[in-house]
Amino acid sequence: MPGIKAKSLFVTLCLLALPQLSVAQTDGILQHDDPATVLLDRLQTIGLLPKAFISHRPLSIYEAKAYLAAVDTSALESSWDRSLLRRLTEDSVSTKPNLLSRLIPQLYTNGTDFLSTKGSTYRLQLNPLLYLTAGTAVQSAIGGRQRNKFVWQNTRGLRLSGSIGKYVFFESRLEENQRAAPEIAREWIVRRLGRVNDPRTTTQQLLAESSFDYFVATGIVALRVPHFELRLGRDRNEWGFSRSSLTLSPFSHTYDQLQIRTTVGPFQYVSLYSALSDRSASEFEAEVPPKFGVFHRLEAVLARNLHVGLFESVVFTPDEPSNAGSYFGFLNPIIFYRALDGDIGSPGNVLVGFDVFFRAFPGISTHMQVAFDEFNLSKLVGEPDWWKNTYGLQLGVRTADLLVAGLDLSFEYTRIRPYMYSNRTASLGYVNSRGVLGHPAGPNAEDLVWSARYRPRSDVELEATLIYTRRGLNTADRNFGSNPSLPYNQDRVDEDGNPLLNGVRLLQGIKESEWLLESRVSWNVWPSAFLETGLRYQSVSSEVAARDRYVNPFVQLRWGLPFQGLR
């Protein structure tokens, strides 16, 4: 691959010319699972951020800096924490002379950004984005022969950010991607994609492709004043205290949105209005109708070690025949959506629930989340297997610096009933593009996640994540509740062709189990650039197919982008 080698050489030369010291990005929005977000999670678990609201992600850089500025650095045991906190909170930084800045004095003038300029009332920054991965996947034997496949990712992009005056800030990211993956890993990739080549391409056709070529664009313009932050643009969101939320996770593709964040004392209330798409719905319907989602969540700090959140959402489409055009009430940021949905004829798919974060001891926290799609209280107690008892339950534990300074451990268990996230039509599924808006395991599934992250020094990180998932899949002609884009009344029958009214058990259908291991060793060359080597293992087996698996060692270079796991 001469092109990849040439690009890698060019990138290496650029890295050698980077400044020796820098700080985090100056303006804009934090990315999901970037170092600053990880640090905030750690400090909250340790107990150094008792009143911080970090469960409505992504946070703005200004929110993050305000929380981190109040942290007592003398209480930090990890050198990684101290080093990153210093870089994130310092207003200015000195840089050592380097070849690139000598040749082109206009670069890194602020010691942070590739290109930057500022005046008395504005700031502007431009930074490159890069994600280069290469490796060989040793796949399971078929016909007695073992197959090897060269897998790679080639992502290039730019990030533009800045601020105007005291109250307005913005950020725009554009990424061009080419990616090749083993066959069984493609489903995770396809479920995150938006438009790829021909928009009429179905999910099954995409899964047959050997590589993918796609763009990812995000852009936010925001107004920030005391107690309020108003965002308008396109991005992903993640709400809750868990690793993968039941209500909003960053797993699906980006979507257009208007977000209002209100923070008053021990309360934060967030309203989100979004325009969604459901490309998987086109596999069940001739046309994909317009689709919208509204979400709100209230978080309250009840004590230094106790946070409680209440959330509600509704997905709807104006093309629904019942009371079309009566959706104006969903724009009300302080109304109860489930009651409103009932008043106007139940035209939407409503999700409600709550979550709790409790820090039992410094360095140990627990969290729980419960989400209800459809339920009847009497049925929930008297007939727990009734098919409309569609809910999800999640329990988790996190530790930080408990055994060794710089070591994080976490465990999370999720259980999602059949038909969760689905509704009477495909267009009302709790789905954006081809991915569910909630937990990536999807309905009719159990999911366990173990994770360990260790930083022996400020520039080295080791991480391993092991995920075990069990699912009950649909057959070709029977709907056991595993596809949120499939109407819940379509083909909902048992083995004898009778309607599934009672006794719908978890994992009913074709049993499938999946193991996914992702591990890496990361060297933080500079705060925004990482050299990494790692190993990915995935195994899928079901009642109707032999086990399929692969092992994929890889090396990669990241610049300005967080690590991208399959999930």
Side-chain angles (χ1 to χ4, degrees):
M1 304 290 290
I4 293 180
K5 291 181 180 179
K7 290 177 182 177
S8 301
L9 177 60
F10 171 75
V11 170
T12 303
L13 292 175
C14 289
L15 285 173
L16 292 175
L18 282 173
Q20 297 299 309
L21 295 173
S22 66
V23 295
Q25 51 204 25
T26 310
D27 295 290
I29 304 290
L30 294 178
Q31 298 184 63
H32 295 281
D33 207 29
D34 68 2
T37 302
V38 173
L39 178 61
L40 288 167
D41 284 337
R42 277 179 48 77
L43 296 181
Q44 187 177 64
T45 299
I46 293 171
L48 298 178
L49 294 175
K51 298 181 180 180
F53 296 102
I54 62 174
S55 62
H56 297 117
R57 296 179 292 274
L59 275 68
S60 69
I61 292 171
Y62 317 98
E63 291 176 287
K65 285 187 174 182
Y67 292 140
L68 294 173
V71 173
D72 180 8
T73 56
S74 63
L76 300 177
E77 299 182 20
S78 167
S79 61
W80 183 86
D81 291 345
R82 292 192 297 270
S83 174
L84 182 57
L85 183 65
R86 183 173 62 253
R87 295 199 304 266
L88 289 169
T89 54
E90 285 180 348
D91 292 328
S92 60
V93 62
S94 60
T95 59
K96 295 180 180 179
N98 59 82
L99 177 61
L100 191 58
S101 61
R102 289 173 181 170
L103 294 175
I104 311 176
Q106 292 80 9
L107 300 182
Y108 296 104
T109 55
N110 64 356
T112 303
D113 301 293
F114 189 76
L115 285 172
S116 65
T117 184
K118 66 177 181 179
S120 59
T121 58
Y122 71 92
R123 289 196 302 261
L124 188 64
Q125 308 100 35
L126 182 67
N127 288 284
L129 301 175
L130 195 69
Y131 204 107
L132 299 178
T133 303
T136 300
V138 182
Q139 303 180 76
S140 56
I142 292 182
R145 297 184 60 186
Q146 186 168 272
R147 298 171 299 151
N148 296 337
K149 179 179 179 61
F150 179 63
V151 297
W152 47 273
Q153 180 175 347
N154 181 12
T155 297
R156 297 92 55 217
L158 290 173
R159 176 183 178 273
L160 175 68
S161 58
S163 61
I164 302 174
K166 295 182 179 180
Y167 308 115
V168 177
F169 68 91
F170 57 89
E171 173 178 319
S172 178
R173 292 195 303 271
L174 178 63
E175 304 167 22
E176 182 186 6
N177 303 268
Q178 290 84 39
R179 189 169 184 178
E183 284 82 349
I184 60 173
R186 292 174 191 165
E187 182 176 354
W188 288 110
I189 300 172
V190 166
R191 286 163 64 183
R192 286 179 61 90
L193 295 181
R195 178 170 179 170
V196 182
N197 300 325
D198 188 344
R200 296 168 295 181
T201 304
T202 67
T203 299
Q204 292 303 317
Q205 290 171 330
L206 277 176
L207 290 172
E209 297 288 335
S210 60
S211 62
F212 306 99
D213 190 338
Y214 57 98
F215 282 96
V216 176
T218 62
I220 294 289
V221 176
L223 174 67
R224 180 172 172 80
V225 297
H227 303 297
F228 291 96
E229 186 176 285
L230 177 68
R231 300 182 188 176
L232 176 65
R234 185 176 182 85
D235 204 353
R236 298 183 177 97
N237 295 276
E238 182 177 18
W239 287 5
F241 308 109
S242 57
R243 184 183 180 97
S244 295
S245 173
L246 290 168
T247 177
L248 267 182
S249 72
F251 178 68
S252 76
H253 193 58
T254 56
Y255 44 90
D256 298 318
Q257 58 186 266
L258 169 66
Q259 185 174 159
I260 306 172
R261 303 164 72 91
T262 306
T263 306
V264 179
F267 302 98
Q268 185 174 75
Y269 183 70
V270 180
S271 297
L272 176 68
Y273 307 91
S274 63
L276 309 172
S277 67
D278 191 353
R279 299 188 183 280
S280 60
S282 63
E283 298 169 32
F284 307 105
E285 298 179 347
E287 296 182 359
V288 181
K291 178 176 178 178
F292 302 94
V294 289
F295 314 81
H296 54 202
R297 182 176 181 271
L298 172 68
E299 181 179 342
V301 181
L302 301 184
R304 288 179 59 87
N305 61 344
L306 178 63
H307 293 230
V308 175
L310 303 173
F311 58 83
E312 189 182 26
S313 62
V314 57
V315 171
F316 62 96
T317 171
D319 285 6
E320 275 294 294
S322 59
N323 294 303
S326 59
Y327 302 99
F328 185 76
F330 288 137
L331 298 178
N332 188 333
I334 54 174
I335 201 167
F336 189 49
Y337 289 150
R338 181 169 285 276
L340 175 63
D341 185 70
D343 286 346
I344 62 178
S346 299
N349 183 4
V350 180
L351 196 73
V352 299
F354 67 92
D355 44 18
V356 178
F357 171 90
F358 178 66
R359 189 173 54 258
F361 304 99
I364 302 179
S365 68
T366 61
H367 59 267
M368 176 182 72
Q369 187 176 57
V370 181
F372 295 96
D373 193 351
E374 296 274 356
F375 74 98
N376 180 297
L377 186 58
S378 61
K379 294 279 191 179
L380 193 64
V381 176
E383 300 179 48
D385 288 336
W386 185 50
W387 78 273
K388 273 202 170 183
N389 287 335
T390 54
Y391 60 86
L393 171 66
Q394 189 175 76
L395 302 170
V397 179
R398 285 203 304 257
T399 71
D401 292 350
L402 186 64
L403 303 175
V404 179
L407 175 64
D408 299 344
L409 301 173
S410 69
F411 169 78
E412 195 167 276
Y413 169 74
T414 307
R415 177 187 180 98
I416 307 176
R417 283 274 298 168
Y419 307 105
M420 178 79 168
Y421 302 131
S422 62
N423 208 264
R424 61 182 175 274
T425 64
S427 59
L428 289 178
Y430 201 73
V431 169
N432 176 55
S433 190
R434 296 177 175 86
V436 65
L437 285 163
H439 196 281
N444 200 12
E446 282 186 309
D447 192 68
L448 294 95
V449 181
W450 299 268
S451 180
R453 196 190 308 242
Y454 178 52
R455 305 164 194 86
R457 40 188 268 186
S458 62
D459 60 346
V460 175
E461 182 177 74
L462 294 81
E463 183 181 19
T465 300
L466 179 63
I467 303 174
Y468 176 62
T469 308
R470 296 197 303 163
R471 301 182 183 89
L473 301 179
N474 296 342
T475 65
D477 57 353
R478 292 182 175 87
N479 179 9
F480 292 101
S482 67
N483 187 347
S485 292
L486 190 66
Y488 53 51
N489 284 320
Q490 181 172 325
D491 300 326
R492 197 184 71 246
V493 294
D494 61 18
E495 297 299 329
D496 298 321
N498 301 312
L500 287 172
L501 300 177
N502 301 295
V504 178
R505 302 178 305 277
L506 186 71
L507 306 182
Q508 191 165 326
I510 300 173
K511 305 294 189 299
E512 179 187 82
S513 61
E514 177 182 15
W515 288 95
L516 175 60
L517 170 66
E518 292 182 310
S519 60
R520 63 188 174 96
V521 178
S522 179
W523 177 32
N524 189 182
V525 187
W526 290 274
S528 60
F530 299 81
L531 293 174
E532 294 179 330
T533 182
L535 178 72
R536 181 174 286 124
Y537 169 80
Q538 189 178 6
S539 170
V540 178
S541 59
S542 73
E543 294 178 325
V544 297
R547 183 171 63 164
D548 194 3
R549 60 192 183 278
Y550 71 90
V551 178
N552 171 212
F554 62 86
V555 293
Q556 65 184 22
L557 168 66
R558 296 189 287 116
W559 189 2
L561 292 170
F563 176 74
Q564 299 174 9
L566 279 183
R567 285 178 47 168

